[in-house]
Structure formats: structure tokens, C-alpha cells
Amino acid sequence: MSAFIQQLPALLGVVIGALGSYLAVVRSDGARFRREQSARWEERRLAVYADYASTLKQTVTLACRAASHLGNDPHPHPLSPEEATPRLAEATLARDPAGEALLLLGSPRVVEKARAWVTVVLEMEQVLRDGTRDPAAWRALVERHRVGRDGYYAAVREDLALPPGLSVRWQLPSADRS
């Protein structure tokens, strides 16, 4: 019995060490799982944010082409109302599921900025449906669209802890190459 008692501290040390090792592994695995899960959700949110922006951009491009036909926009590839209407309807149909995914996965601030941006896009579509010919009003709408897009991208970057990006107002080369 005395041999057992002499080895008891060593045996307790092995049991305590094994238990500590097990707890450390369980805790480490749990932390790794949470990090991986967080990374997967961030990747998914980035995809949803990008998809939504892409669907809005498609609508804006079509709107600018149709507005060019009305004389409101300088887009070099005008699109008649007959050609624009079905394409805008398709863009709207694509925007709906992207918007639902955004509502499901987006942060409140990103959703708020997306609503501000899409409101301007809807106003652009209304100008086209009305057949309004007012280049100054159209330019103001395009500027509001750019501000809305800037706000949306800034909110997305903040939500995903991305570094600040470039402004969406790119300087295009001058058409006059004298």
C-alpha cells in the first residue's frame, strides 16, 4: 500500500495534466470553430453586398442608356424605351432576391445605406417611365446615386472591417486630345 501512496502524487499529476491538456484542446477547437464560422459569414456577407451592388449598377447603367435616348445623359450607347423596358424589368427581378439576401445578412447600417441608394435608383426609373426630358434634373439624380453608392460602399467596408477604398468618382481622360 505504501508503494501506491508513494506513486499517488505522480498518478494525480498525470491525471491533472491529461485533464488540462483535454480542456486546452477543447477550448482551442471551440475558438478555431468560432473564427472559421465568423470568416465564413463575413465571406457570405461580402458576396451578398457585392451582388446587391452589382444588381443596382446594372439598373443604373440601363437607366443611363435610356436617359441618353431622351437627351438627359451623355452615355454613348443610347437605348430606346422599347429596348430598355424589358431589360429594366429583368434587372428589377434580379434585384429582388439580392435585396432579400441583403435584408437577411446585412448589418442595419448597410441595409439603411442600401435603402438610401435604391431609393434614388427607383427615382431614376420613374423619370424614364415618365419620359422626362430634363438633363439638369437627371444630372442631379446621377449625383445623388453616386453619393448613395459611396455611402453604401463605406458602410460595407466598415461592417467587414475593410480598409477605406477609392472614391467612385473616377477622373476619365478628356475626349479632347489636342
Side-chain angles (χ1 to χ4, degrees), residues 9-47:
L11 184 59
L12 284 174
V14 168
V15 169
I16 290 172
L19 183 60
S21 178
Y22 172 76
L23 291 175
V25 167
V26 166
R27 184 174 176 171
S28 173
D29 283 351
R32 186 180 74 231
F33 174 76
R34 286 187 296 278
R35 278 192 311 271
E36 289 173 355
Q37 187 177 34
S38 176
R40 280 193 303 272
W41 280 113
E42 282 188 11
E43 288 173 11
R44 183 66 185 131
R45 279 198 329 268
L46 176 59

Side-chain angles (χ1 to χ4, degrees), residues 84-105:
T85 300
R87 291 181 182 187
L88 284 168
E90 288 174 16
T92 299
L93 289 175
R95 186 172 65 225
D96 287 344
E100 291 301 318
L102 179 73
L103 289 173
L104 181 64
L105 296 177

Side-chain angles (χ1 to χ4, degrees), residues 73-156:
D73 194 276
H75 197 284
H77 305 288
L79 197 60
S80 72
E82 295 78 25
E83 293 173 301
T85 300
R87 291 181 182 187
L88 284 168
E90 288 174 16
T92 299
L93 289 175
R95 186 172 65 225
D96 287 344
E100 291 301 318
L102 179 73
L103 289 173
L104 181 64
L105 296 177
S107 73
R109 185 163 188 275
V110 171
V111 170
E112 173 190 328
K113 294 297 183 176
R115 282 188 179 138
W117 185 17
V118 77
T119 299
V120 177
V121 173
L122 294 173
E123 289 177 36
M124 294 170 92
E125 290 176 329
Q126 186 62 48
V127 166
L128 298 175
R129 282 191 295 276
D130 294 344
T132 304
R133 296 176 186 269
D134 186 349
W138 181 259
R139 278 192 304 276
L141 272 176
V142 169
E143 181 57 29
R144 286 180 47 220
H145 143 71
R146 288 181 180 140
V147 168
R149 184 173 60 175
D150 270 341
Y152 175 77
Y153 287 160
V156 166

